[in-house]
């Protein structure tokens, strides 16, 4: 096609159908499971048939868009407000995003919210605009003028916002796969609430006498996947920037640091939800009844048996959050943001992020034992603390990154404070045996890392 650049028209990507078709069942399985647990959909009834048909329609429209030359538009979802997502008339007429070329999440309401379309069931505003640009018949003598007029609508119409595959690496929290609505941070929080609701309803459900408990395990894993998917959405706010595609005539910036309050709000959610053991508390009777589908050969290779390690699943989610918050790239973006605002004093710094992270991960060091009861640190928290310590020590010993010079200095400051806190904690009585052993080992590792000589570049 000759009308390519302004609207993201280009060759379809072969891998798109593979990624999309593989992802849709996971999304649909979570949403359908929750709606079934609520009693809003009969899995053998017409509502379930429509749910599946709408999911297939969404995939087909997306792939036809590629066949017509459209690329992905991962900014289309933020063009629809949260209020509009709860308006059934709006979603039927305009869809749940401004383009079928996005990878939309399911539009699942919270338990007390109105129900609208769960899937993208129609074309969005961006789709009509892009096809008009690429395929509308125009008189040859006015083609350039009219094409410029069509393309120019993007400067004043937010419904036509566009960002594609390469833009996913921009650190822009508004450009994501599998989010929905004009506030990705709020969407991530909703996903955590929906995961908890699925867990609560599943634990309370009485299975038929001939059931093999497979449903319990599937719904537990679906909720954990929802938690895991929320981590990168939240982490992109910390040190993130909002980006736009625009021309000089618009007078708008290409890059704007995420406001400080949004960055701190996202950090609050990560620290308070993803790193908290309370987020992963389950009835022991439920955890002892997580069945495995013995006839599902596709899953057999990855499962040794019916036992399920909650600790392994949780630390896998938390590692992703630690890696994001302690990354050199995050430190570099936080430092770079200082030059992009008039008053950088309100922006969070890498030091603030690491200090708050350490306080949240090691919160037990500041707690007092209940009278007559030993202080304990549960296994989920011990795992998290070990992973944090591993990254902190590595930051002390490896050469400083050329793009993130603050990392080692901040890690040394946090490590010195944590080493002193661990020493004080070990001097206090009342720890359980496993907690004291864990704290003693953590202190020894950190003290050794602080004493070790620095690794120099080129040595």
């Amino acid at each position: 096609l000759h009308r390519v650049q302004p609207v993201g028209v280009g060759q379809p990507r072969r891998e798109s159908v593979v990624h999309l078709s593989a992802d849709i069942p996971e999304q649909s399985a979570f949403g359908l499971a929750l709606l079934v647990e609520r009693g809003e959909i009969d899995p053998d009834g017409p509502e379930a048939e429509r749910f599946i048909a709408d999911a297939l329609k969404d995939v087909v429209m997306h792939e036809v868009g590629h066949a017509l030359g459209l690329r992905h538009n991962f900014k289309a979802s933020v063009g629809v407000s949260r209020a509009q997502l709860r308006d059934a008339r709006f979603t039927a007429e305009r869809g749940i995003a401004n383009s079928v070329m996005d990878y939309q999440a399911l539009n699942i309401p919270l338990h007390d919210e109105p129900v609208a379309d769960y899937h993208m069931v129609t074309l969005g505003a961006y789709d009509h605009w892009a096809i008009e640009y690429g395929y509308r018949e125009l008189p040859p003598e006015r083609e350039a003028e009219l094409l410029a007029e069509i393309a120019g609508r993007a400067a004043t119409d937010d419904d036509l916002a566009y960002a594609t595959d390469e833009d996913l690496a921009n650190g822009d929290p508004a450009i994501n796969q599998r989010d929905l609505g004009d506030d990705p941070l709020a969407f991530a929080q909703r996903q955590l609430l929906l995961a908890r609701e699925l867990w609560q309803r599943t634990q309370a459900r009485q299975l038929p006498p001939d059931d093999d408990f497979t449903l319990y395990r599937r719904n537990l894993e679906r909720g954990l996947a929802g938690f895991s998917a929320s981590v990168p959405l939240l982490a992109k706010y910390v040190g993130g920037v909002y980006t736009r595609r625009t021309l000089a005539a618009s007078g708008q910036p290409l890059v704007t640091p995420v406001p400080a309050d949004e960055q701190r709000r996202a950090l609050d959610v990560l620290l308070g939800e993803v790193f908290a053991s309370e987020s992963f508390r389950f009835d022991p009777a439920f955890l002892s009844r997580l069945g495995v589908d013995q006839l599902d050969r596709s899953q057999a290779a990855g499962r040794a048996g019916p036992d399920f390690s909650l600790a392994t699943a949780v630390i896998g989610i938390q590692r992703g959050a630690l890696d994001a918050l302690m990354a050199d790239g995050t430190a570099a973006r936080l430092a770079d943001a200082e030059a992009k605002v008039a008053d950088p004093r309100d922006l969070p710094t890498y030091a603030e992020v690491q200090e708050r992270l350490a306080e949240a991960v090691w919160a037990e060091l500041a707690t007092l034992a209940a009278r007559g009861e030993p202080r304990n640190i549960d296994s989920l928290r011990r795992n998290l603390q070990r992973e944090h310590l591993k990254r902190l020590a590595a930051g002390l010993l490896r050469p400083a990154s050329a793009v993130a010079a603050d990392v080692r200095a901040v890690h040394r400051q946090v490590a010195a404070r944590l080493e002193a806190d661990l020493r004080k904690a070990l001097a206090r009585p009342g720890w359980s045996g496993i907690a004291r052993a864990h704290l003693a080992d953590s202190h020894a590792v950190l003290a050794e890392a602080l004493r070790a000589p620095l690794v120099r570049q080129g040595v």
Side-chain angles (χ1 to χ4, degrees), residues 3 5 12 75 80-81 90 123 139 152 169 183 227 236 289 336 362 420 439 449:
R3 306 173 186 176
Q5 295 288 39
K75 213 168 189 177
V80 177
S81 72
F90 179 91
L123 299 179
D183 186 346
F227 258 76
K236 285 175 78 171
R289 292 177 172 84
D336 288 345
W362 297 89
L439 294 177

Side-chain angles (χ1 to χ4, degrees), residues 224 280 287 308-319 379-381 383-384:
L224 290 169
F280 307 101
L287 291 180
F308 179 83
S309 174
L310 179 65
T312 299
V314 171
I315 197 60
I317 296 170
Q318 293 173 334
R319 282 192 189 107
S379 61
L380 299 186
R381 295 286 292 174
N383 287 342
L384 172 61

Side-chain angles (χ1 to χ4, degrees), residues 211-255:
D211 200 297
D212 61 3
F213 294 113
T214 304
L215 176 71
Y216 284 171
R217 184 175 188 136
R218 284 177 175 164
N219 284 357
L220 172 61
E221 291 179 335
R222 287 163 180 160
L224 290 169
F227 258 76
S228 182
S230 296
V231 167
L233 294 180
L234 294 164
K236 285 175 78 171
Y237 278 86
V238 181
V241 292
Y242 289 121
T243 61
R244 60 171 56 88
R245 295 182 176 220
T246 188
L247 299 176
S250 72
Q252 297 178 324
L254 294 175
V255 176

Side-chain angles (χ1 to χ4, degrees), residues 347-358:
L347 288 175
T349 63
Y350 189 69
E352 177 188 333
V353 171
Q354 298 314 307
E355 287 165 1
R356 290 196 58 198
L357 176 60

Side-chain angles (χ1 to χ4, degrees), residues 444-455:
V445 169
L446 198 55
E448 184 175 344
L450 283 166
R451 290 193 302 268
L454 300 179
V455 178

Side-chain angles (χ1 to χ4, degrees), residues 128-129 132 136 146 148-158 160:
H128 290 284
W129 176 66
E132 180 184 5
R136 180 180 170 185
L146 294 174
E149 179 184 309
I150 295 170
R153 296 177 203 161
T156 56
D157 190 346
D158 290 340
L160 307 182

Side-chain angles (χ1 to χ4, degrees), residues 17-44:
V17 66
V18 177
H19 292 168
L20 185 63
S21 61
D23 201 19
I24 282 284
E26 286 295 319
Q27 291 278 319
S28 294
F30 175 89
L32 188 57
L34 179 54
L35 295 171
V36 167
E37 293 299 326
R38 288 179 181 173
E40 295 178 5
I41 285 185
D42 177 357
D44 298 316

